[in-house]
Amino acid sequence: MSDTTRDDLLFIEGEFVSAKSSARVGLVNPATEEVVGHVPDANEQDIDLAVSAAQRALPAWRAISPTERARLLDALTDGIEARAAEMDALLTKENGAPGYWAAYTGSGGRFLYKNAARLAASLEVEEVRESPAGRSLLQHEPVGVVGAIVPWNSPQVLLASKVGPALAAGCTVVAKPSPETSLDTYLLAEIMNEVGFPPGVVNIVTGGRDAGAALVRHADVNMVSFTGSTAAGRSIASVCGEQLKPVSAELGGKSAAVLLEDVDLGLFAQSIMSEVIPFSGQVCYACTRILVHRSRFDEVLDLLRTTLEQAPVGDPTDPSTMFGPLITAVQRDKVEGYISSGLAEGARLVLGGGRPAGLSKGFYVEPTIFVDVRPEMRIYQEEIFGPVLAVVPFSDDDEAIALENNSDYGLSGTVFGQDLDHANAIARRMQTGRVMVNGGRGASRFSSLRKASGLGTVGDMDSLATYLQTKNITQPV
Ligand code: NAD
């Protein structure tokens, strides 16, 4: 099936079926502004059909052995690997991801399916525990049907972080991608069929906020696993709270990179495109607040300015591109609004601030650096989700920590310093779920979400626990 024939199709019970909804969402390539396809904006009836399919598939899926579930997850990893180039190219067309980012998130997704297979293979569904109160048989059961909702920026890796462990635990899934990135998710559905997942174990419905809201409130969805904005997360968590339904919510961030006096600038330079401003800053963990020891401020600013000035901006299908377009015209306008607010509040631009020259189409904003930023400014406090950095000096550890923790968010962060005891001492004081010391190459994302960045635990280690519930069969000894 080619990616142009999806206009009215949803993936339910192992088949591409016509949506009941007649509403469609147009998919726009953010680099060319061309419409590249349409997908259904699923309505309540579509959601109900998908949830019913997932409920029907649940008894058989939870009954098969975790080892067989692991085998299918391994086959899925291989199936995606075989079509990785196709998947990456679709993503670039949908969300403007430059090749480096599409490949990075694609390989991250495969790692998470493989990891879920490993966890399934070692899953102990029952364990006996003795305590002074008696003998307990603890039975770890799947929570049931999971509603998985993801944003557009890294759909494959974020879906894998939900679908992988949910399937490994014995749950079935109804997934709703962001409408912008529906086509790559349909490719995932095709691969699931190819490798032999039973019908209904994973169902995919496309659509926007209303489709997501219908999925969240559906009475037969037993748990919601959401990644997206803090505003949507609050709304989803309140619906789940009303229904007393478990929810995991990975939300926004405004992370900081703390560069100590003994920062190794070579290591920091390697992290600029991966942790500081990946995918034009459209990444939850981007460390867009750069806090620098005063003695190294000028050097760091020079390094950042030179790196971003030299990074190729433009067509995301060009393999050399590091800064592609932003996802939509609305997002570009929002980022430009933040740049104006920074200037109005007295911050000073040292790089960028406008639209790149020579690009007549596409939702581009130049890589932008602000200095003279105060913590009360909107550009310091709010998640911009664009290529905008604030570089701020500090004089000592206490000031660095006060600046880092001056945020409603608590998703991620980095510390750079050659004295590892010192760097780790700073990391321990940061109010954030994950801290990468000297960069995050190969690091685990496992962490608890906190503050306005969410609820629950995310990442690779222990990820099955989110999708399991424990029954205690007990008797006195
Ligand atoms: P968004 O919240 O607008 O949308 C995310 C998804 O939720 C989409 O599929 C959307 O259709 C759906 N949705 C929106 N409102 C909903 C509602 N009320 N009920 C149910 N579903 C709803 O977010 P976005 O703009 O697509 O993505 C960017 C945001 O995602 C940023 O804030 C970013 O930090 C966050 N994000 C967080 C992580 C993380 O791991 N913490 C990862 C990636 C992105």
Side-chain angles (χ1 to χ4, degrees), residues 2 67 120 128 150 182 275 286 336 339 357 368 373 380 405 420 427 464:
S2 89
T67 329
V128 175
V150 293
S182 300
E275 276 97 50
E336 289 178 338
I339 293 171
T368 296
V373 178
Y380 190 87
N405 292 342
L420 291 181
L464 263 54

Side-chain angles (χ1 to χ4, degrees), residues 147-155 158-159 161-162 176-178 180 209 224-237 247-254 282-285 334 383 385 409 411 445 449-455 458:
I149 302 177
V150 293
W152 49 265
N153 65 340
S154 324
L158 292 170
L159 265 179
S161 74
K162 301 176 183 324
K176 194 205 79 65
S178 218
E180 290 86 354
R209 174 183 305 202
V224 174
S225 181
F226 172 73
T227 302
S229 63
T230 296
R234 285 189 209 283
S235 156
I236 289 168
V247 59
S248 136
E250 293 180 86
L251 310 176
K254 185 76 181 178
Q282 301 177 109
V283 175
C284 56
Y285 60 75
K334 188 174 152 203
E383 184 182 50
F385 234 53
Y409 294 104
L411 190 67
R445 282 185 68 231
L449 295 153
R450 58 195 74 198
K451 296 165 88 177
S453 292
L455 287 174
V458 291

Side-chain angles (χ1 to χ4, degrees), residues 317-359:
T317 64
D318 178 336
S320 67
T321 293
M322 300 309 278
F323 286 87
L326 302 186
I327 183 72
T328 55
V330 170
Q331 182 61 17
R332 179 191 53 197
D333 294 350
K334 188 174 152 203
V335 171
E336 289 178 338
Y338 275 113
I339 293 171
S340 302
S341 91
L343 291 170
E345 289 186 289
R348 184 163 56 88
L349 272 177
V350 293
L351 184 73
R355 297 184 185 182
L359 294 167

Side-chain angles (χ1 to χ4, degrees), residues 10-47:
L10 302 173
F11 181 69
I12 297 179
E13 214 150 22
E15 289 182 16
F16 287 93
V17 296
S18 292
K20 303 294 177 199
S21 167
S22 57
R24 299 288 174 265
V25 190
L27 310 181
V28 176
N29 180 329
T32 62
E33 303 185 28
E34 285 163 6
V35 174
V36 293
H38 290 85
V39 288
D41 193 1
N43 64 17
E44 288 212 356
Q45 204 186 346
D46 294 310
I47 299 291

Side-chain angles (χ1 to χ4, degrees), residues 196-475:
F197 273 89
V201 165
V202 174
N203 307 274
I204 296 173
V205 286
T206 52
R209 174 183 305 202
D210 291 347
L215 179 60
V216 168
R217 68 172 175 268
H218 197 293
D220 292 335
V221 168
N222 305 111
M223 183 208 160
V224 174
S225 181
F226 172 73
T227 302
S229 63
T230 296
R234 285 189 209 283
S235 156
I236 289 168
S238 70
V239 173
C240 292
E242 190 62 38
Q243 297 184 2
L244 295 177
K245 180 176 335 211
V247 59
S248 136
E250 293 180 86
L251 310 176
K254 185 76 181 178
S255 298
V258 179
L259 277 60
L260 300 170
E261 197 167 5
D262 61 347
V263 53
D264 175 337
L265 287 187
L267 280 181
F268 176 64
Q270 286 173 33
S271 295
I272 292 175
M273 292 311 301
S274 52
E275 276 97 50
V276 172
I277 195 165
F279 192 16
S280 298
Q282 301 177 109
V283 175
C284 56
Y285 60 75
C287 293
T288 53
R289 296 181 298 149
I290 315 286
L291 313 179
V292 188
H293 192 276
R294 209 169 277 283
S295 65
R296 307 293 300 275
F297 188 84
D298 292 344
E299 269 175 279
V300 169
L301 192 57
D302 274 354
L303 171 65
L304 280 167
R305 195 167 28 202
T306 313
T307 307
L308 299 195
E309 247 168 10
Q310 290 173 355
V313 179
D315 178 2
T317 64
D318 178 336
S320 67
T321 293
M322 300 309 278
F323 286 87
L326 302 186
I327 183 72
T328 55
V330 170
Q331 182 61 17
R332 179 191 53 197
D333 294 350
K334 188 174 152 203
V335 171
E336 289 178 338
Y338 275 113
I339 293 171
S340 302
S341 91
L343 291 170
E345 289 186 289
R348 184 163 56 88
L349 272 177
V350 293
L351 184 73
R355 297 184 185 182
L359 294 167
S360 57
K361 290 271 188 223
F363 311 128
Y364 291 91
V365 173
E366 288 177 312
T368 296
I369 302 176
F370 274 110
V371 293
D372 299 345
V373 178
R374 295 186 312 278
E376 63 275 19
M377 291 180 182
R378 288 181 62 208
I379 57 167
Y380 190 87
Q381 291 294 341
E382 297 179 21
E383 184 182 50
I384 297 175
F385 234 53
V388 182
L389 301 180
V391 190
V392 178
F394 64 83
S395 298
D396 57 28
D397 288 0
D398 287 347
E399 192 184 5
I401 291 296
L403 281 166
E404 194 283 331
N405 292 342
N406 188 340
S407 173
D408 287 341
Y409 294 104
L411 190 67
S412 194
T414 57
V415 183
F416 288 88
Q418 296 186 59
D419 174 349
L420 291 181
D421 288 341
H422 184 200
N424 279 293
I426 295 289
R428 287 195 176 88
R429 294 173 66 189
M430 288 166 68
Q431 292 171 1
T432 183
R434 179 174 75 144
V435 186
M436 295 161 280
V437 174
N438 289 325
R441 289 160 301 282
S444 165
R445 282 185 68 231
F446 178 72
S447 59
S448 302
L449 295 153
R450 58 195 74 198
K451 296 165 88 177
S453 292
L455 287 174
T457 299
V458 291
D460 37 15
M461 295 180 244
D462 278 347
S463 53
L464 263 54
T466 304
Y467 300 95
L468 291 167
Q469 54 194 354
T470 300
K471 181 190 291 168
N472 180 357
I473 303 172
T474 189
Q475 51 225 280

